[in-house]
Amino acid sequence: MTPREAADAGAPGASGASDSAPSAPAGALAAPVESSSRVDDVTDRLVTAIATGEYLPGQRLPPERDLAASLRAGRMTVRAALARLVEQGMIETQRGRGGGSFVREQHTTSSDAIAQRTLGARWADLSDTSEAIGRLHGTIAEAAAENHTPADAAELRERLEGYREAESGRASQRADALLHVAIAEAAHNTTLREVLFALEARVSIAAPAHLWGGPDGMREMELRALGDHEALVDAICGGRATEAAGIAREHVKIDLELLERVLHPRD
């Protein structure tokens, strides 16, 4: 997984995809789409991804072929769903070099209700997968504390500083993804890293980027994550494996909390 892949937060796609469902891991937002409601289901999942902060205003969505692979839907189905999001005012399309589908609004009149319905239908799987992700993050942080090199430690501190200095929103989300990728690389275990990214893809279309929530609570969440990041990098670089594992497990619970806020909004 390259830093650019982490920054773009796009699930890997298969080139030349047709309207038949390509092979991809099944999961919460990546489960097979029923043929009778393919466009409706894909639309709901994309709305949910935007409403929960997987993709923030101004951010480009992955190409159609990548979304088709992540959602196990055909490219024509994804194209029709994107057209609906354009009609709803959530995204806009731009042509030419650097073009694509870009998020305009994170919330519309109906987006919260759609997100709640989509999350509610998949909550049992989301909760189960999120617990597994947390445990695996702990294992990877433990391995990073045991296996990191001086070069890894320097990279972790640099990525931490990048997160500390990043502006709120997209820049902060990108810096977070880069830091977590660096932790996974510092573990020096390809299998653990690949299993982690595969599991995260079952929860988030944008894996390995994490959810970023809505604008009302985003800065609070970013500052909370900064404290976790500082403690986690310090424990890894200090070789305190058990401590690093515990911090990592608790830290990634933020994702599930953000989903719960959307599912059960505050009065």
Side-chain angles (χ1 to χ4, degrees):
M1 181 68 62
T2 66
R4 185 181 185 281
E5 288 171 325
D8 289 344
S15 60
S18 67
D19 199 44
S20 60
S23 177
L29 296 181
V33 181
E34 296 295 334
S35 58
S36 61
S37 58
R38 298 179 105 191
V39 177
D40 289 343
D41 214 2
V42 169
T43 300
D44 286 356
R45 294 177 198 189
L46 290 172
V47 168
T48 301
I50 294 172
T52 56
E54 289 187 42
Y55 302 104
L56 300 174
Q59 191 168 354
R60 180 171 58 185
L61 298 179
E64 288 177 3
R65 67 178 180 274
D66 293 352
L67 287 173
S70 298
L71 295 165
R72 299 192 68 186
R75 289 182 65 175
M76 295 300 293
T77 300
V78 170
R79 189 171 301 168
L82 292 173
R84 290 189 180 181
L85 266 63
V86 171
E87 293 176 358
Q88 295 173 17
M90 295 194 76
I91 67 172
E92 62 181 359
T93 57
Q94 299 177 13
R95 299 187 180 279
R97 183 180 295 274
S101 298
F102 293 82
V103 178
R104 291 186 66 245
E105 299 289 343
Q106 192 170 354
H107 294 280
T108 64
T109 303
S110 60
S111 63
D112 287 345
I114 291 172
Q116 289 164 17
R117 181 177 70 243
T118 304
L119 292 174
R122 295 167 173 81
W123 192 252
D125 186 66
L126 281 168
S127 299
D128 184 81
T129 304
S130 294
E131 180 183 357
I133 289 171
R135 292 182 181 278
L136 193 54
H137 266 286
T139 299
I140 286 175
E142 183 178 35
E146 295 172 345
N147 300 334
H148 72 277
T149 66
D152 292 327
E155 182 73 8
L156 288 173
R157 293 190 178 100
E158 182 178 339
R159 298 281 178 90
L160 174 61
E161 188 61 25
Y163 181 84
R164 186 182 288 117
E165 295 179 353
E167 294 183 2
S168 179
R170 291 170 57 201
S172 184
Q173 185 185 49
R174 179 180 185 276
D176 174 84
L178 292 173
L179 174 58
H180 282 286
V181 169
I183 292 171
E185 291 174 346
H188 293 282
N189 188 302
T190 301
T191 300
L192 282 175
R193 183 176 68 245
E194 290 180 351
V195 171
L196 174 63
F197 290 163
L199 277 179
E200 289 186 332
R202 294 181 58 178
V203 174
S204 169
I205 299 173
H210 291 184
L211 306 178
W212 228 235
D216 55 336
M218 188 177 297
R219 189 55 185 160
E220 175 189 353
M221 181 275 299
E222 290 170 345
L223 293 174
R224 171 183 167 186
L226 174 59
D228 290 348
H229 289 160
E230 291 173 336
L232 180 56
V233 169
D234 184 65
I236 290 173
C237 293
R240 302 190 299 277
T242 301
E243 180 183 344
I247 294 169
R249 284 195 300 269
E250 289 301 311
H251 171 63
V252 297
K253 290 180 180 180
I254 292 176
D255 282 1
L256 193 61
E257 290 179 21
L258 291 174
L259 292 175
E260 287 177 328
R261 290 184 189 181
V262 175
L263 185 61
H264 303 293
R266 299 170 181 170
D267 296 333

